[in-house]
């Protein structure tokens, strides 16, 4: 199993939460809010200490998604973050880049409970209504569904998120971008 799928499950089991802010706190990853117009978030390691910076102007939902995504980078891509060079996120969740896609999969697996998702699917919800019910962006939900399908679950995924979708989406759960 890929680390971007397995690691979130291990963290959820260890810390008894899906909250990326709480997990970051418990792992001594500093999360700071910044006032910026374009960036959704960034992460860096300074003097051996990991930091996540999140745009304070985003909705709580988008801040949670950004934190989960950046936490994925901190845990999965430490080699890239060494040397005090931050990963800047202008177009968060760019699916063209494997590093970004791994952080997307990490965030999707951390934030979306598979049992709740299966219940929503069984009730016949479409992707927009399921995303709204789970309080998650529809594009991140699509990534979760694609990964479930890749792991052998029979699912009909209506479409694949566009490349760089989070850079263009509205700050709402049902935004498709």
């Amino acid at each position: 199993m890929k680390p971007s799928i397995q690691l979130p499950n291990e963290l959820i089991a260890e810390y008894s939460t899906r909250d990326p802010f709480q997990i970051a706190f418990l792992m001594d990853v500093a999360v700071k809010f910044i006032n910026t117009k374009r960036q959704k978030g960034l992460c860096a390691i300074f003097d051996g200490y990991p930091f996540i910076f999140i745009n304070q102007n985003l909705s709580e939902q988008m801040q949670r998604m950004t934190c989960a995504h950046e936490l994925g980078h901190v845990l999965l891509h430490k080699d890239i973050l060494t040397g005090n060079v931050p990963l800047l996120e202008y177009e968060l969740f760019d699916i063209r880049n494997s590093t970004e896609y791994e952080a997307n999969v990490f965030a999707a697996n951390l934030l979306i409970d598979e049992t709740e998702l299966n219940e929503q699917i069984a009730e016949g919800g479409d992707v927009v209504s399921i995303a709204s019910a789970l309080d998650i962006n529809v594009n991140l939900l699509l990534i979760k569904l694609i990964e479930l399908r890749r792991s052998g679950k029979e699912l009909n995924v209506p479409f694949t998120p566009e490349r760089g979708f989070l850079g263009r989406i509205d700050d709402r759960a049902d935004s498709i971008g």
Side-chain angles (χ1 to χ4, degrees):
M1 190 177 295
K2 292 189 256 180
S4 54
I5 295 171
Q6 184 178 357
L7 182 57
N9 294 330
E10 292 170 1
L11 294 172
I12 293 162
E14 182 174 347
Y15 297 113
S16 300
T17 185
R18 291 182 174 279
D19 182 344
F21 293 102
Q22 188 173 2
I23 293 171
F25 174 78
L26 294 169
M27 295 186 75
D28 292 323
V29 176
V31 177
K32 306 289 183 190
F33 291 89
I34 57 174
N35 187 5
T36 179
K37 292 183 187 205
R38 289 192 57 223
Q39 284 179 281
K40 288 184 173 51
L42 65 105
C43 61
I45 296 177
F46 298 113
D47 295 326
Y49 297 100
F51 288 84
I52 293 173
F53 298 92
I54 299 173
N55 185 335
Q56 69 187 20
N57 302 308
L58 300 173
S59 69
E60 284 184 34
Q61 179 198 74
M62 191 65 70
Q63 287 177 355
R64 187 175 65 249
M65 286 174 46
T66 302
C67 186
H69 179 89
E70 298 302 335
L71 185 60
H73 280 311
V74 167
L75 298 174
L76 299 170
H77 307 125
K78 286 181 184 175
D79 56 327
I80 296 172
L81 297 172
T82 57
N84 297 338
V85 178
L87 280 176
L88 304 174
E89 306 291 358
Y90 291 102
E91 288 198 32
L92 205 67
F93 306 123
D94 181 351
I95 63 175
R96 295 171 293 189
N97 177 307
S98 65
T99 302
E100 290 302 314
Y101 190 76
E102 287 174 358
N104 295 339
V105 173
F106 176 92
N109 283 291
L110 182 65
L111 296 176
I112 301 171
D113 181 278
E114 201 168 322
T115 301
E116 291 178 25
L117 174 58
N118 287 332
E119 290 171 4
Q120 291 292 322
I121 291 170
E123 291 176 13
D126 60 40
V127 291
V128 174
S129 65
I130 292 172
S132 183
L134 299 177
D135 192 27
I136 197 76
N137 181 274
V138 69
N139 295 286
L140 196 63
L141 173 61
L142 287 169
I143 288 173
K144 174 78 172 185
L145 294 172
I146 289 166
E147 289 303 310
L148 287 172
R149 187 175 62 191
R150 284 184 184 163
S151 70
K153 185 164 181 139
E154 290 191 32
L155 291 170
N156 180 20
V157 179
F159 60 92
T160 302
E162 292 183 22
R163 299 180 189 278
F165 69 84
L166 196 56
R168 296 183 308 276
I169 62 173
D170 288 335
D171 198 4
R172 298 187 338 255
D174 61 349
S175 175
I176 294 178

